[in-house]
Amino acid sequence: MAVPMWAAAHGRRVARDEWRGAVLTVLGLTGLLLTTSSTTSSAALDVRTTLLLAAATAAAIAALTAIPAASRASVAAGLGARHRGIRPR
């Protein structure tokens, strides 16, 4: 939410999509906080769970970075990124 607030404070017109993105980010972070917080005493993860979490995170990052550049460009074009000054790779 910092970017739209900064832009508005400095007199730049903030697009509706920017506000929507900021609000969705705050809502998503709030949802994560609510689902991961607990009222019971917290305990550290054991080694097995930590390694499984690290492996799952690495797999997700690898999957997201393995998307071919042509596919990213077509997705960006489909979202209308060219009209907003964003050039797909």
Side-chain angles (χ1 to χ4, degrees):
M1 197 131 181
V3 174
M5 296 294 283
W6 179 88
H10 287 80
R12 185 177 72 83
R13 185 179 173 278
V14 181
R16 183 174 46 116
D17 289 342
E18 291 174 312
W19 282 115
R20 182 175 43 194
V23 169
L24 288 175
T25 299
V26 170
L27 289 175
L29 290 172
T30 303
L32 281 173
L33 179 65
L34 291 174
T35 58
T36 58
S37 64
S38 67
T39 57
T40 61
S41 64
S42 60
L45 298 176
D46 61 348
V47 175
R48 180 178 179 269
T49 308
T50 302
L51 291 175
L52 285 173
L53 181 61
T57 303
I61 291 171
L64 290 171
T65 56
I67 298 172
S71 177
R72 284 194 302 265
S74 64
V75 169
L79 293 175
R82 290 183 183 159
H83 300 292
R84 288 189 281 263
I86 301 170
R87 295 184 181 187
R89 296 181 192 182

